[in-house]
């Protein structure tokens, strides 16, 4: 009823080996891309973290300068801070203050520059605050 057909082994061409190599190359490329993405994400998070710490360190430097001027009665000047509080330990702050008097009103310009971390993971922020007193 059904004709018997015999397949010649020489005529058969397999697709298994080229397909397996193709799949291995594609999966390897995807894994390599995911590893690179993970590394970039980790480094970006670390830089963001150090940048946020530097921002708060610069804010702290400006607040210290304002406190020295208005509460402590100190003259406006330049100073450096080395912070040791939790979260800001290891950050360095440089504060520059200039004072201008116009019609018996004192105007202060405070520039606070902070750095946290080192190398590729260093964060740096600069804040300028202006104040006046009668």
């Amino acid at each position: 009823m059904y004709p018997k057909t015999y397949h010649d082994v020489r005529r058969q061409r397999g697709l298994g080996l080229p397909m397996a190599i193709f799949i291995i190359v594609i999966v390897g490329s995807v894994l390599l891309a995911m590893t690179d993405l993970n590394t970039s994400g980790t480094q970006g998070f670390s830089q963001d973290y150090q940048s946020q710490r530097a921002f708060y360190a610069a804010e702290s430097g400006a607040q210290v300068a304002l406190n020295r001027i208005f509460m402590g009665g100190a003259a406006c000047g330049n100073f450096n801070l080395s912070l040791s509080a939790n979260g800001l330990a290891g950050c360095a702050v440089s504060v520059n203050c200039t004072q201008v008097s116009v019609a018996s009103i004192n105007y202060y310009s405070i520039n606070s520059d902070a750095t946290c971390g080192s190398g590729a993971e260093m964060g740096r922020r600069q804040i300028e605050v202006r104040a006046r007193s009668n």
Side-chain angles (χ1 to χ4, degrees), residues 86-97:
N86 289 338
L88 297 179
C91 295
V93 183
S94 174
V95 180
N96 300 316
C97 181

Side-chain angles (χ1 to χ4, degrees), residues 51-133:
S51 181
Q52 191 71 22
R53 289 181 63 215
F55 173 76
Y56 287 119
E59 284 268 333
S60 297
Q63 291 296 325
V64 167
L66 289 170
N67 191 18
R68 285 183 178 183
I69 294 168
F70 292 113
M71 303 304 283
C76 185
N78 303 333
F79 59 92
N80 294 322
L81 291 175
S82 225
L83 302 174
S84 60
N86 289 338
L88 297 179
C91 295
V93 183
S94 174
V95 180
N96 300 316
C97 181
T98 56
Q99 175 184 352
V100 175
S101 296
V102 177
S104 72
I105 299 175
N106 295 324
Y107 295 94
Y108 301 96
S109 180
I110 301 165
N111 190 341
S112 180
D113 187 9
T115 13
C116 295
S118 63
E121 297 178 354
M122 182 180 80
R124 183 173 183 208
R125 290 292 184 100
Q126 187 175 23
I127 293 176
E128 185 172 349
V129 176
R130 296 191 179 186
R132 69 171 239 179
S133 69

Side-chain angles (χ1 to χ4, degrees), residues 2-18:
Y2 293 105
K4 291 188 176 186
T5 57
Y6 296 99
H7 297 289
D8 189 6
V9 175
R10 288 175 286 162
R11 293 181 63 210
Q12 294 181 4
R13 298 230 164 33
L15 192 61
L17 183 60

Side-chain angles (χ1 to χ4, degrees), residues 13-58:
R13 298 230 164 33
L15 192 61
L17 183 60
M19 188 59 109
I21 290 173
F22 178 74
I23 289 174
I24 288 172
V25 168
I26 295 299
V27 169
S29 298
V30 168
L31 288 175
L32 184 63
M34 287 175 57
T35 302
D36 187 43
L37 184 63
N38 186 27
T39 302
S40 298
T42 303
Q43 185 177 11
F45 172 77
S46 180
Q47 289 171 342
D48 286 344
Y49 176 71
Q50 294 297 348
S51 181
Q52 191 71 22
R53 289 181 63 215
F55 173 76
Y56 287 119

